[in-house]
Amino acid sequence: MKKFRPAAAPLITVDPFLSIWSCDDALYGGPTEHWCGRPCPILAGIYVDNAFHAIAAADENGKVLRSRVYQTDLEITPLSTIYTFENEAALVKLTFTTPLLPDRPDILARPVSYVHYEVKPKTAKPVRFLFGISARACVDNKYQSVSFRRSVNSLACGNTVQNPLAQSGDNVFIDWGYLHLHGGEDVKVGRFTDGTRLEFLPVNGMYNAYAENPFLLTIRNEHEGVITIGYDEIKPIEYFGTQLDEYYTKYFGSFEEMLDAAAAEYGEIRALCDAFDASLMAEAGAKGEDYKNIAALAFRQAVAAHKLVADPEGNILFLSKENDSNGCIGTLDVTYPSIPLFLKYNPELVKGMLRPIIRYAESDAWQYDFTPHDVGRYPLANGQVYGASPFAPNGNPQYRFWGKMLFEKQMPVEEAGNMLLCLAAVKKYAGGDQTLFDAHTATMKLWADYLVKYGYDPENQLCTDDFAGHLARNCNLSLKAILGIAAYAELSGDASYMDIAREYAKKWEVDAKSSHGGTRLVFGADDGWSLKYNIVWDSLLVYNLFSDEVKKAEIALYKTKMNRYGVPLDSRSDYTKIDWLMWSTVIWDDEAYFASVCESIANMINETTDRVPMTDWYYTSTAAYRAFRARSVVGGLYIPLLQK
C-alpha cells in the first residue's frame, strides 16, 4: 500500500493563533508555516562536534538550511506527528504532541505544545540536540519588533508594543502576548546568519522579527528530552464587551505556574495522549486504512480551530475561527459540519459552540426571527459581522440601513435548522442532556415556527455552501428544515411538530424525485442533483421520516458521479466539500461506497500539489485546492463513528 503523504503535517497546533505546520514531504523541505501559509520557522537539528546537521531550519531570510540528515519516516496520529531521521552520525526521532484531549478541558485549554526528541548517536563524537522557534509567531507583520524577557523557568518573546485584542481578521498572526520556551537559562536568543553559523543575541535587545529573525533556542546535551512551548495570550477572547481570561486560570494563578505544571506533567500527559490515539486509531482502523489516516490527520486541525474559554457565568465556550474563509468567530454553519468529532468525544464542547449564538440571538442587537450566522470576527465575539451593515458600529445588525440586501446575506433556514439539529444531536450523544434547549424554549419555538412557515420550499437564499451563491427551492436545504422541525418536536415533546415533519417528508419524496434516479437540486427542475448530506440525521437521530428507497437511490446516483478525488457537491460544478462528501456515506449503509469515498479523499490528500492544511473545498477532477484550509469542519469526517 502507498505510504500516506499528508498535504501538510500538524506540528504545533494549539488554537487559531498558535498553529504551525510542515507543508513539505520532509520537515527540512522548507520553512514551517502558520496555517494561513506565511512562514513561521522552526529550527531543529543535531550538532556533531561543532558541525550542525539540520532537521528543520531556515535562516533569517527564510532560506532553508542545507540538511545533512535524511528523513526516513513520518507518522501522524490524532495527537502526535512523529518524524524519524538518520545520517552517519545518529538516529533522531522527533515527536510533536499537542494534548488536545476533548474529554479533559483542563488540559485541552492549556496553550501548550510539546516536542519530544530522542537521539541515538552512531559515533563517539559528542552529539547535541538543538531546537528553536521564530519570534515571528508573535507578530503580524514585517514592521513589528520583539523583545525578550526571562522568568525562572522560561524565556519569552513578544511584540514590543503590547495591545491585547486590538485587531481581528482572517489570515493574520497574533501580535500581542508572549511566546514561551520552557527551560530556564538553557533557553537563549539566537539565529543562523549564513546557513550554518549560529549567532547568539543579547536577551535584553529589541529586534525586528522578520529582518533580524531572532529565535528562542535551546541546545541540549541529553540525548532524550522534551521541549515545552506555550503562548500567553494575556486576554484571548472578547465576549460581548468583556475580555475573558484563559480557561487555565480556573486551575493556576499565573501563566508561568501553568507552564511549569505542563512541563512537569509531560510523562503523564503523553501517556494519556498515546492511550487516546491507540483507542481512536483502533476504531477508525476497523473501517479501513484510508479512513484511519484521514481521521488521524483531521483531529488536531478540527480541535485547534477553536479556543476554549469560560463565559462570565463559568459556562464553557468553545469558539471556532472560520479560518481561510472570513475569520468569523462562533459561526453556526461551521459548527454544524464539525460536530461529529465533538459529539463522539465530548458533547459539552458542542454546547460550548452553541451558547454564544443563543446569547447573541436573545440580545436587543438581533431582530430577526431566525438564528444568527456568527457572533463576530475572531477573537472579538461582539456581534454578527457576516452580512451586517458596513455603517454599523462593530457590524451590529440592529442598524439595518440596507434592508433587503442585508437579509439576503443571512442564512435563515440554514441556521435555524442547524441549531435545532445540533441540540437534538447533543441530547442523543450526551445521554439525554437537553438542558441548553430547556433554558431557551421560547427562542427555540420561534426558530421552529420559522422553519414550519418558510423551510419546506425555501425562497432564494444562502445555505452553508454560500460560495455557490443564492439558490431558491433548494431540496437539500428543505431536508434540513424538515429534520429541524422533527428535532424541535423531540426536544419540546410537542407531537404536532413531528406530524408536520412527517407530512413535509412525504411531500418532499414526491416533489424532489427526479427522472435520473436520485433527487433534484431544486424543486421544479429535473436536470440537477446534489449531495443530500442533511438527510443523515434522519437515521442518526432515528426519526425515520424518509424511505429507505430514497436513501438507496441517492447512493446509487453518487456512485455514477464519482471522480478520482470524490463526488462533486452538486451538478453545477465538479468541486466538492470534504465534510459533506463523508456525510454522504452515512445516508445509507453501503460498504463499497464508503470505501470509494475514503479512497477518493485519501487520493486528494496524497496527490494534491497544493500543500496546505487539509482543505475542505477542492476540485474532484484535479485535487486542486479551491479555498478553505485548516478549518474546524473536518470534524465532520468523524461522522461514520457516530453510527451504531
Side-chain angles (χ1 to χ4, degrees):
M1 180 176 289
K2 183 179 179 181
K3 179 72 174 175
F4 185 67
R5 184 228 69 176
L11 303 178
I12 300 172
T13 48
V14 173
D15 60 30
F17 281 136
L18 186 56
S19 182
I20 302 175
W21 299 68
S22 171
C23 299
D24 296 275
D25 288 352
L27 187 57
Y28 46 70
T32 55
E33 299 177 2
H34 186 264
W35 66 256
C36 71
R38 288 159 56 184
C40 192
I42 286 173
L43 287 169
I46 55 173
Y47 276 99
V48 181
D49 273 349
N50 291 317
F52 183 65
H53 301 244
I55 288 172
D59 65 15
E60 68 273 16
N61 299 311
K63 181 180 178 182
V64 178
L65 303 184
R66 185 165 63 89
S67 178
R68 298 179 185 181
V69 295
Y70 299 95
Q71 183 175 305
T72 58
D73 196 22
L74 167 60
E75 178 187 0
I76 293 178
T77 69
L79 296 176
S80 292
T81 298
I82 306 147
Y83 289 94
T84 56
F85 306 89
E86 185 172 6
N87 67 3
E88 70 285 353
L91 294 168
V92 182
K93 184 176 182 181
L94 210 55
T95 302
F96 294 85
T97 300
T98 306
L100 300 175
L101 294 160
D103 60 343
R104 290 292 303 272
D106 57 321
I107 295 175
L108 185 157
R110 295 178 182 178
V112 168
S113 194
Y114 301 103
V115 182
H116 182 266
Y117 67 92
E118 299 175 69
V119 179
K120 296 181 179 180
K122 298 193 294 184
T123 175
K125 296 177 181 179
V127 179
R128 297 174 295 160
F129 178 76
L130 176 145
F131 181 85
I133 182 168
S134 173
R136 296 183 190 185
C138 48
V139 295
D140 185 47
N141 63 66
K142 64 183 180 181
Y143 304 106
Q144 294 173 315
S145 62
V146 294
S147 54
F148 295 80
R149 64 183 191 186
R150 193 178 291 281
S151 62
V152 174
N153 292 316
S154 67
L155 183 64
C157 67
N159 194 328
T160 304
V161 179
Q162 286 288 316
N163 198 356
L165 297 170
Q167 70 165 355
S168 63
D170 187 3
N171 294 284
V172 298
F173 281 37
I174 194 171
D175 64 357
W176 64 87
Y178 294 90
L179 174 69
H180 287 247
L181 196 61
H182 196 270
E185 294 292 331
D186 287 339
V187 183
K188 303 180 185 303
V189 183
R191 63 184 177 186
F192 279 88
T193 57
D194 61 2
T196 59
R197 187 171 63 87
L198 177 62
E199 175 188 17
F200 290 109
L201 304 171
V203 171
N204 59 357
M206 185 172 72
Y207 307 94
N208 180 280
Y210 279 73
E212 297 171 280
N213 197 27
F215 280 73
L216 291 167
L217 291 171
T218 182
I219 299 176
R220 304 287 180 86
N221 294 318
E222 300 82 11
H223 290 159
E224 182 173 1
V226 63
I227 287 108
T228 304
I229 300 157
Y231 202 105
D232 181 6
E233 293 186 16
I234 305 173
K235 295 288 185 180
I237 297 289
E238 186 167 290
Y239 189 65
F240 300 109
T242 300
Q243 293 191 351
L244 302 180
D245 291 324
E246 290 270 14
Y247 192 82
Y248 68 76
T249 59
K250 292 166 62 75
Y251 310 98
F252 299 99
S254 68
F255 179 88
E256 287 77 10
E257 182 185 346
M258 180 278 299
L259 189 62
D260 288 346
E265 295 167 4
Y266 170 73
E268 173 189 343
I269 290 172
R270 177 66 186 276
L272 291 172
C273 292
D274 289 348
F276 181 86
D277 282 352
S279 175
L280 197 166
M281 290 293 87
E283 185 174 5
K287 292 184 173 293
E289 189 70 14
D290 284 336
Y291 184 72
K292 183 181 77 169
N293 289 331
I294 293 164
L297 185 60
F299 190 90
R300 272 171 286 164
Q301 174 172 318
V303 183
H306 297 82
K307 188 69 177 181
L308 177 60
V309 290
D311 69 16
E313 291 73 44
N315 300 303
I316 278 180
L317 304 175
F318 198 49
L319 290 155
S320 63
K321 178 175 182 180
E322 199 171 334
N323 291 339
D324 199 36
S325 43
N326 62 13
C328 280
I329 187 171
T331 303
L332 182 53
D333 64 279
V334 167
T335 289
Y336 173 74
S338 77
I339 62 172
L341 183 154
F342 304 101
L343 292 171
K344 172 76 174 173
Y345 296 108
N346 188 357
E348 186 62 36
L349 296 176
V350 179
K351 292 166 65 178
M353 300 177 199
L354 303 177
R355 285 190 180 101
I357 293 287
I358 299 171
R359 156 75 171 77
Y360 178 56
E362 294 183 342
S363 72
D364 292 339
W366 185 252
Q367 299 180 3
Y368 295 118
D369 293 338
F370 50 82
T371 319
H373 167 273
D374 64 83
V375 291
R377 182 166 286 117
Y378 194 91
L380 307 180
N382 293 322
Q384 179 169 319
V385 296
Y386 186 85
S389 167
F391 306 112
N394 296 322
N396 191 325
Q398 67 180 337
Y399 299 91
R400 288 180 287 161
F401 302 120
W402 289 8
K404 188 172 186 292
M405 181 178 291
L406 295 182
F407 174 80
E408 288 179 352
K409 288 293 288 183
Q410 303 295 334
M411 301 182 186
V413 172
E414 173 72 34
E415 306 298 14
N418 286 342
M419 176 61 72
L420 293 168
L421 284 167
C422 285
L423 287 168
V426 167
K427 179 180 179 180
K428 177 177 176 62
Y429 294 99
D433 179 10
Q434 63 173 71
T435 53
L436 189 57
F437 175 90
D438 290 342
H440 304 278
T441 53
T443 300
M444 300 302 157
K445 186 177 188 305
L446 181 70
W447 294 339
D449 288 343
Y450 189 93
L451 294 179
V452 170
K453 186 174 183 179
Y454 299 108
Y456 177 75
D457 193 353
E459 62 181 330
N460 191 42
Q461 62 189 270
L462 295 172
C463 69
T464 186
D465 306 315
D466 57 352
F467 50 83
H470 287 72
L471 189 65
R473 314 198 72 191
N474 183 335
C475 291
N476 189 47
L477 190 58
S478 176
L479 280 174
K480 179 166 287 181
I482 295 167
L483 290 162
I485 294 166
Y488 177 78
E490 177 195 354
L491 291 162
S492 67
D494 189 334
S496 67
Y497 284 85
M498 192 62 79
D499 291 340
I500 294 169
R502 289 194 184 97
E503 176 189 344
Y504 282 178
K506 184 176 180 180
K507 178 175 170 56
W508 189 94
E509 292 204 9
V510 175
D511 293 346
K513 188 175 182 179
S514 172
S515 62
H516 56 53
T519 55
R520 298 172 171 179
L521 174 64
V522 297
F523 294 127
D526 196 47
D527 58 347
W529 59 273
S530 64
L531 294 177
K532 299 301 188 299
Y533 53 82
N534 286 316
I535 205 172
V536 298
W537 298 109
D538 189 49
S539 301
L540 291 175
L541 298 177
V542 201
Y543 293 150
N544 298 322
L545 301 176
F546 296 90
S547 69
D548 292 349
E549 287 72 24
V550 163
K551 297 171 185 177
K552 287 189 285 187
E554 282 298 301
I555 299 302
L557 173 65
Y558 303 159
K559 287 180 175 180
T560 70
K561 306 297 182 181
M562 178 68 74
N563 292 325
R564 176 164 181 78
Y565 305 110
V567 180
L569 179 65
D570 60 47
S571 51
R572 292 174 291 176
S573 174
D574 80 337
Y575 59 59
T576 197
K577 285 286 272 86
I578 200 171
D579 41 355
W580 304 143
L581 179 57
M582 186 62 78
W583 281 39
S584 73
T585 68
V586 182
I587 292 174
W588 186 254
D589 187 11
D590 186 313
E591 291 185 3
Y593 178 66
F594 173 75
S596 67
V597 165
C598 291
E599 181 182 16
S600 72
I601 293 173
N603 287 342
M604 184 278 292
I605 294 168
N606 277 321
E607 298 172 15
T608 181
T609 58
D610 296 308
R611 305 304 293 270
V612 300
M614 190 189 293
T615 180
D616 55 283
W617 183 21
Y618 65 90
Y619 290 101
T620 62
S621 56
T622 64
Y625 155 80
R626 176 63 180 83
F628 305 162
R629 66 178 81 178
R631 302 207 312 162
S632 65
V633 301
V634 298
L637 296 171
Y638 278 72
I639 201 165
L641 300 186
L642 295 182
Q643 294 175 296
K644 300 299 182 184

